[in-house]
Amino acid sequence: MDTDRYDRHNGDRTWREWLISDAVLGTLVVLFTVATAYAAYRSSLADIKGGDLDNKAQNSLILGTTTFLEANMQFMQDISAYNAYQLATPDDPEAAAAFLAQGSSFFQDGLTRENGPFDETYENQLYDEALNLFDESQDLQEQGDVADDLSQQFQVAAFILAIGLAITAWASLFDTRPRLRLVFTLLALPCLVMGLCLVVMTYL
């Protein structure tokens, strides 16, 4: 009798019996359940965060647009005040000074500069708040996109793990058919590895 061949055959059978044992399948069910729940939980958190960031980005964009339009209106008022000042200066200096007083503080500051009042400094001061809000909106939108991508990655991981959990559950039903039980168990293991790898990769 070929002892080595018998030992190898007996070892393979022992390994298969261990792999399809209730203890291994029960452990797999626990691992799949915990990993699936964790991936779904993290997906939900990332989705909530992404939605919150998107809302903040929209609010900043709306506020920035409103501020920009208000700055445009103020610019038109400053232009009008300056034109009225120039027209009134030759005939009525006092009225001309009154027109200057109607301008914004940025316009008043620009009058003291050599290239003012409508120079680059004036424009920066007038539109600074609106531009900062636009930048803030873009930054929040980018953060929201990152959170949305993270949520999708966790969703994919949860989906794969859920499939593995279903396969493992089916494997546990084949008590009297060890070959089918082994096939389903071997199909479930890659799902566990792939799902866990996706979860880990989201942190890298």
Side-chain angles (χ1 to χ4, degrees), residues 114-167:
E114 181 179 356
N115 296 324
F118 304 108
D119 54 6
E120 184 176 355
T121 301
Y122 168 82
E123 293 180 0
N124 292 336
Q125 291 175 337
L126 189 63
Y127 293 100
D128 183 64
E129 183 179 358
L131 295 178
N132 285 337
L133 286 169
F134 288 145
D135 291 339
E136 178 182 335
S137 175
Q138 183 176 358
D139 183 59
L140 290 170
Q141 186 63 56
E142 291 174 354
Q143 294 180 39
D145 291 341
V146 172
D148 291 339
D149 290 342
L150 188 64
S151 176
Q152 292 178 2
Q153 292 176 14
F154 276 119
Q155 284 180 3
V156 173
F159 177 73
I160 294 174
L161 291 167
I163 292 177
L165 178 60
I167 293 174

Side-chain angles (χ1 to χ4, degrees), residues 13-14 32 36 43 65 74 78 108-109 113 131 137-139 164 169 179 185:
R13 186 175 63 180
T14 302
F32 274 118
T36 303
S43 175
T65 302
Q74 186 61 63
D78 289 344
Q108 302 293 335
D109 293 340
R113 293 190 296 269
L131 295 178
S137 175
Q138 183 176 358
D139 183 59
R179 289 187 177 180
T185 303

Side-chain angles (χ1 to χ4, degrees), residues 2-163:
D2 192 341
T3 305
D4 292 340
R5 182 177 179 182
Y6 173 80
D7 291 340
R8 288 196 300 271
H9 176 73
N10 189 54
D12 290 343
R13 186 175 63 180
T14 302
W15 174 82
R16 292 176 183 176
E17 290 176 349
W18 173 83
L19 186 61
I20 63 177
S21 66
D22 291 339
V24 171
L25 290 178
T27 301
L28 286 176
V29 168
V30 172
L31 290 175
F32 274 118
T33 302
V34 172
T36 303
Y38 177 77
Y41 171 71
R42 291 305 303 267
S43 175
S44 177
L45 288 181
D47 184 60
I48 293 173
K49 181 180 179 180
D52 184 54
L53 289 169
D54 289 340
N55 288 334
K56 290 181 179 179
Q58 289 298 319
N59 290 336
S60 294
L61 180 60
I62 293 172
L63 184 58
T65 302
T66 302
T67 305
F68 186 82
L69 293 175
E70 290 176 350
N72 281 340
M73 292 177 61
Q74 186 61 63
F75 175 69
M76 297 302 297
Q77 291 177 9
D78 289 344
I79 285 287
S80 177
Y82 190 65
N83 289 337
Y85 159 75
Q86 289 182 319
L87 292 174
T89 296
D91 301 325
D92 192 347
E94 292 185 3
F99 285 125
L100 286 182
Q102 296 175 5
S104 66
S105 59
F106 305 136
F107 171 74
Q108 302 293 335
D109 293 340
L111 292 171
T112 63
R113 293 190 296 269
E114 181 179 356
N115 296 324
F118 304 108
D119 54 6
E120 184 176 355
T121 301
Y122 168 82
E123 293 180 0
N124 292 336
Q125 291 175 337
L126 189 63
Y127 293 100
D128 183 64
E129 183 179 358
L131 295 178
N132 285 337
L133 286 169
F134 288 145
D135 291 339
E136 178 182 335
S137 175
Q138 183 176 358
D139 183 59
L140 290 170
Q141 186 63 56
E142 291 174 354
Q143 294 180 39
D145 291 341
V146 172
D148 291 339
D149 290 342
L150 188 64
S151 176
Q152 292 178 2
Q153 292 176 14
F154 276 119
Q155 284 180 3
V156 173
F159 177 73
I160 294 174
L161 291 167
I163 292 177

